[in-house]
Amino acid sequence: MRIALFATCIVDAMYPETAKSTVKILERLGHEVVFPKAQACCGQMHINSGYMSEALPVVENHINAFDTDDYDVAVAPSGSCVASVKHQHPRLAERLGKPELKERAVAVGKRTYELSQLLVDVLGITDAAQQLGSYFPDTITYHPSCHGMRSLQLGDRQLDLLKTVGGINVEILPEADQCCGFGGTFSIKNADVSSAMLEDKVKNICSTGASACAGGDASCLMHIGGGLSRTGAKPKTLHLADILASTMEETVTL
Amino acid sequence: MTQVFLGMPAPGHGNLFEEEPFPQAAHRELGNTQMRKNLRHATHTIRDKRLKVVGELPDWDDLRDSGSAIKNNAMANIEELLLQFEKNFTARGGIVHWARDASEANKIVTELVKATGSTEVVKVKSMATQEIGLNEHLETEGIEAFETDLAELIVQLGHDKPSHILVPAIHKNRTQVRDIFLKEMPGVDPTLTDEPAKLAEAARSHLRKKFLASKVAISGANFALADTGTLGVVESEGNGRMCLTLPETLITVMGIEKVLPQWEDLEVFMQLLPRSSTGERMNPYTSLWTGVTEDDGPQNVHIVLLDNGRTRALSDRFGRTALNCIRCSACMNVCPVYERTGGHAYGSTYPGPIGAILSPLMTGIEAEDNGSLPYASSLCGACYDACPVKINIPEILVHLRGEDVDAKRDTHKLPTQMDLLMKGGSWALGKGKNIGLLEKALPLGRLMAGKNKKIKKLPGIAAGWTQSRDVPAPPNKSFRDWWSDEKESK
Ligand code: SF4
């Protein structure tokens, strides 16, 4: 398959390793990965902050970049950005009275998958160690990000993949389904409430004794990681893609 | 028959306003550790209960779809349904009044009470009368209103404000309740303990006298059935049943969005409501009444149909499903923001996720500080998941943020930092080329982070981030550049 990588702006700029990991996993499975260079961002930050007219060029750019015949499916290592592409883009187009854009947005959304969705639903991965050679000999816990869990209904796809990584020990996170408090500009507009939510997430992660908290959204992981780092807590954060890409030969270190 | 002209969206008044920006109110409430402990305990208990009883029904999701469809249909035909209800309610001896807003409703109720010669009324727990500030209004008219719902009574005796739509005193624990009773309840047993049974007993004997003596009761309603002209109240304690049956005059104040087409619709809502609100399969008391029944129950039966901004909300095509709300409170029980700030932080009678959309939809986004309410959410979506009528609260929150920004665009003299961030972001993120250009500066960020690879303090609005979180040092090279160098050059 020819798979277009939607890196997402935060991974592109802050966590390039996670995008490289995504490429590695897909290439390991024998697929060809392309990177549409016109891509930038899904526009979620603008939409969620209420800046709809400022969001429009960002969304249009994404749709233009991905509304091509150059690939079969698109994938992003982020539940949140995929949910934005699938749900928010058509809605924004509708709100701004652009039916044609809406149609194209729906078409792009249909072909866009979150990483675990693509791996499990399309590529039939059920055992990461066997099929991807994934190996990570450490104890992790896992935070299911809200948009993946609720907007995309990912269920246990990410967790199940992690559990089948070679050498791994997965400790279940207490109150895992609770939001970490990120919420984009919520974290600065309502910094106090956001911090109170983060505090509980950090406590719960520490209570598992894991060396790292894994997740499928770089933005939530940056938030959680920022809180762990600030409190001097031991656990680090690690993206699902980085753990799946880790192998016996090339093991990811924290 | 006085007819209200539907389709003229006037803003709502009364207790629908956030009086200070939400972040400010939240900051204060977050400091109330006792309240936070009480609320955490209460919300977590009810969450678990709800999940258990909802899990019992294999067709729960279909029920939610039905509830949503019935409500959408009712709202699309609200004018006809209300007129049909009026006709049937009137035919059975009830009297219908129409109130455009809070002050009209207060006036109507006051006149009705005065006409009975009574200076005392008993009340069934009702959101609509909280919304219009009826008790306070009656007080200025020399009429005393006694709340009979246990939690409402606690709030009233404690000179407090409700903080939850189902459990108005959820922010108090039982020791605090005992203290309020000891201080404020006339004739209370001074040896009262904080055992729930004892507290309920104290409230019961306090209220019994009122039930027997009062000639007028005021209630809200959970639904009005258009095809039969029936009103319904769903409750747990039985005090509502007392108020609805003992007095001579019964006045109900109900938001117009509570109308349902037909009796059969109860089948769906009587499954959805108890399970979502108290986490019970069925609530203990469901009272239904259709006009006047000779020699049985109240002989003067009135209903005040209240608009107070509902038509305004209905006219918002992206927000109108907020009116489908059946006031179960599930959304606030699961909300991580509500759990930490409590209901008072939202200002309005309607707190939590539903309040954050309903209040601004009813009053207009520009009213007071209601524009800050739609931002009181991380958009985690727990509310949408829990809502028995599938109101997509996160989507409406985002829509209202858009309304807020648009409303502020024209009035701002100088752009705020957020405006600049968003405008700059629109340029930077609107083209692959532009973000690529900016990413060339990533090494600068590394410089900022220094030796321990952390940025601990950011300026301006971004300081909100570094208040509790570090920023990691950025990489040397973006993925985009790596791709060009490694993949394309090969
Ligand atoms: S919005 Fe939904 S969950 Fe919240 S109170 Fe209304 S019906 Fe219940």
Side-chain angles (χ1 to χ4, degrees):
Chain A
M1 232 192 297
R2 209 170 142 85
I3 302 173
L5 174 65
F6 167 34
T8 76
C9 64
I10 180 165
V11 166
D12 176 21
M14 293 295 287
Y15 300 95
E17 292 309 318
T18 299
K20 291 181 213 168
S21 295
T22 308
V23 175
K24 265 190 219 162
I25 299 165
L26 298 173
E27 287 183 345
R28 219 180 275 161
L29 289 166
H31 299 288
E32 187 191 350
V33 180
V34 294
F35 180 73
K37 290 282 272 276
Q39 68 176 278
C41 164
C42 66
Q44 188 182 174
M45 176 180 77
H46 287 94
I47 296 172
N48 287 347
S49 304
Y51 284 78
M52 303 302 173
S53 32
E54 285 80 0
L56 183 63
V58 183
V59 168
E60 274 175 329
N61 177 69
H62 182 85
I63 294 171
N64 290 337
F66 283 88
D67 186 17
T68 71
D69 297 329
D70 190 40
Y71 67 94
D72 302 310
V73 294
V75 68
S78 160
S80 194
C81 306
V82 171
S84 174
V85 168
K86 281 182 184 293
H87 307 312
Q88 292 193 316
H89 288 191
R91 273 204 299 269
L92 181 82
E94 189 181 343
R95 180 190 175 104
L96 299 176
K98 298 187 178 295
E100 228 173 285
L101 187 69
K102 182 178 170 184
E103 221 171 281
R104 292 173 65 214
V106 170
V108 170
K110 275 204 186 118
R111 283 206 287 166
T112 307
Y113 293 82
E114 180 277 335
L115 179 60
S116 72
Q117 249 179 351
L118 180 74
L119 290 175
V120 176
D121 299 357
V122 183
L123 305 178
I125 306 298
T126 50
D127 189 320
Q130 285 279 324
Q131 294 166 285
L132 301 171
S134 311
Y135 177 77
F136 188 74
D138 209 336
T139 297
I140 63 148
T141 188
Y142 161 74
H143 167 68
S145 286
C146 302
H147 293 168
M149 173 170 61
R150 301 202 178 91
S151 308
L152 295 182
Q153 300 279 311
L154 291 183
D156 285 334
R157 284 177 183 79
Q158 297 183 343
L159 185 60
D160 287 347
L161 285 172
L162 285 169
K163 281 182 178 164
T164 58
V165 167
I168 207 164
N169 173 36
V170 181
E171 290 292 335
I172 297 303
L173 179 65
E175 298 183 10
D177 64 348
Q178 293 297 298
C179 177
C180 73
F182 173 54
T185 46
F186 171 76
S187 59
I188 53 177
K189 274 206 165 219
N190 276 286
D192 294 328
V193 189
S194 167
S195 298
M197 289 161 72
L198 177 60
E199 197 184 312
D200 289 340
K201 186 57 73 183
V202 164
K203 260 191 229 149
N204 280 322
I205 291 170
C206 292
S207 79
T208 65
S211 313
C213 175
D217 269 276
S219 50
C220 308
L221 291 177
M222 178 159 116
H223 183 243
I224 295 170
L228 286 164
S229 158
R230 177 58 58 89
T231 52
K234 189 190 85 169
K236 304 276 184 267
T237 51
L238 204 50
H239 196 282
L240 165 80
D242 296 318
I243 297 180
L244 294 180
S246 172
T247 59
M248 199 90 82
E249 295 72 34
E250 255 185 281
T251 311
V252 162
T253 50
L254 288 171
Chain B
M1 183 175 83
T2 48
Q3 268 203 33
V4 79
F5 172 54
L6 294 173
M8 172 77 104
H13 299 289
N15 297 324
L16 287 173
F17 299 97
E18 177 67 303
E19 278 140 19
E20 60 188 323
F22 182 84
Q24 211 169 296
H27 178 81
R28 186 183 53 246
E29 299 295 327
L30 280 166
N32 186 344
T33 45
Q34 183 63 57
M35 179 278 289
R36 284 182 65 185
K37 234 174 99 189
N38 298 348
L39 215 57
R40 183 180 156 84
H41 175 74
T43 52
H44 283 242
T45 311
I46 185 79
R47 270 179 214 176
D48 296 345
K49 266 181 89 181
R50 188 190 72 86
L51 280 178
K52 202 165 140 261
V53 293
V54 160
E56 290 173 351
L57 293 187
D59 61 344
W60 180 250
D61 215 47
D62 296 338
L63 273 171
R64 292 172 72 210
D65 282 331
S66 304
S68 164
I70 293 170
K71 279 290 190 179
N72 282 338
N73 173 49
M75 289 307 100
N77 300 295
I78 189 167
E79 180 167 0
E80 285 155 47
L81 290 175
L82 287 170
L83 294 175
Q84 194 191 349
F85 173 81
E86 178 180 46
K87 196 171 126 240
N88 290 325
F89 191 78
T90 310
R92 294 292 300 263
I95 300 171
V96 176
H97 311 261
W98 299 80
R100 235 175 238 110
D101 56 23
S103 61
E104 253 184 41
N106 283 330
K107 226 172 102 205
I108 294 169
V109 175
T110 308
E111 278 163 17
L112 290 173
V113 177
K114 282 191 173 163
T116 67
S118 191
T119 53
E120 245 184 52
V121 299
V122 282
K123 283 192 69 205
V124 187
K125 180 175 163 10
S126 127
M127 295 312 298
T129 59
Q130 287 285 0
E131 173 190 323
I132 62 176
L134 181 65
N135 292 5
E136 297 74 18
H137 181 81
L138 289 176
E139 200 185 317
T140 62
E141 299 278 345
I143 300 163
E144 218 178 339
F146 294 96
E147 293 291 348
T148 65
D149 172 83
L150 180 55
E152 286 288 4
L153 176 70
I154 295 164
V155 168
Q156 193 179 36
L157 288 176
H159 312 288
D160 200 354
K161 270 172 67 179
S163 70
H164 188 274
I165 62 174
L166 185 77
V167 198
I170 196 168
H171 55 292
K172 298 282 186 208
N173 66 18
R174 52 194 164 100
T175 314
Q176 293 170 302
V177 171
R178 184 208 49 196
D179 295 346
I180 292 171
F181 280 11
L182 284 178
K183 196 162 152 240
E184 303 284 349
M185 193 181 267
V188 73
D189 173 4
T191 65
L192 182 68
T193 67
D194 65 359
E195 267 173 81
K198 290 275 185 298
L199 294 173
E201 179 60 41
R204 193 173 297 131
S205 47
H206 168 71
L207 290 172
R208 179 97 10 178
K209 295 169 222 138
K210 297 286 171 218
F211 287 133
L212 296 174
S214 291
K215 299 215 174 330
V216 184
I218 297 175
S219 84
N222 290 93
F223 20 71
L225 306 171
D227 67 341
T228 56
T230 302
L231 290 170
V233 160
V234 174
E235 48 141 359
S236 293
E237 296 168 7
N239 51 22
R241 173 75 52 86
M242 300 273 241
C243 295
L244 297 169
T245 51
L246 289 175
E248 288 161 14
T249 299
L250 171 59
I251 306 164
T252 301
V253 182
M254 186 191 81
I256 51 172
E257 83 284 17
K258 294 280 169 278
V259 70
L260 289 172
Q262 55 189 354
W263 180 267
E264 282 77 12
D265 297 332
L266 287 183
E267 175 199 340
V268 172
F269 292 103
M270 289 311 296
Q271 292 186 75
L272 288 175
L273 184 54
R275 286 180 198 256
S276 301
S277 57
T278 47
E280 293 169 301
R281 296 191 181 108
M282 179 53 77
N283 53 291
Y285 295 88
T286 300
S287 304
L288 299 164
W289 66 102
T290 308
V292 176
T293 307
E294 214 177 314
D295 297 331
D296 185 11
Q299 296 299 298
N300 305 308
V301 177
H302 297 266
I303 182 160
V304 181
L305 293 170
L306 175 71
D307 186 327
N308 203 35
R310 285 164 175 79
T311 315
R312 196 193 175 286
L314 196 60
S315 69
D316 183 327
R317 80 184 166 110
F318 295 107
R320 63 171 63 121
T321 52
L323 290 176
N324 294 359
C325 173
I326 57 173
R327 309 280 191 268
C328 73
S329 76
C331 58
M332 56 202 75
N333 294 334
V334 299
C335 177
V337 176
Y338 175 89
E339 175 193 335
R340 289 171 178 82
T341 65
H344 292 159
Y346 295 79
S348 158
T349 294
Y350 303 106
I354 182 62
I357 57 174
L358 199 56
S359 308
L361 279 166
M362 287 165 72
T363 63
I365 196 85
E366 329 73 26
E368 308 260 343
D369 276 309
N370 279 5
S372 70
L373 289 174
Y375 300 94
S377 165
S378 66
L379 304 177
C380 79
C383 49
Y384 181 26
D385 254 18
C387 178
V389 287
K390 289 198 172 173
I391 301 172
N392 192 335
I393 297 177
E395 189 182 309
I396 302 178
L397 286 165
V398 169
H399 158 62
L400 291 172
R401 291 176 187 185
E403 300 290 286
D404 176 58
V405 169
D406 285 345
K408 288 194 174 121
R409 260 182 225 283
D410 313 329
T411 52
H412 271 168
K413 306 244 156 32
L414 283 170
T416 62
Q417 283 187 47
M418 188 59 94
D419 286 329
L420 292 173
L421 181 74
M422 291 296 152
K423 297 228 158 70
S426 183
W427 173 83
L429 303 171
K431 282 210 164 56
K433 254 195 317 217
N434 299 354
I435 184 173
L437 208 65
L438 274 185
E439 282 166 352
K440 300 286 179 214
L442 285 173
L444 257 176
R446 279 185 91 75
L447 220 62
M448 253 179 89
K451 259 215 306 283
N452 55 9
K453 298 196 178 147
K454 285 177 190 175
I455 298 169
K456 291 201 161 276
K457 212 166 163 66
L458 287 171
I461 49 169
W465 177 277
T466 43
Q467 136 182 356
S468 62
R469 318 142 185 107
D470 294 336
V471 180
N476 264 325
K477 201 193 255 188
S478 69
F479 173 76
R480 183 181 303 272
D481 285 345
W482 175 85
W483 182 273
S484 301
D485 297 348
E486 302 293 321
K487 291 276 185 180
E488 286 181 345
S489 53
K490 278 179 191 161

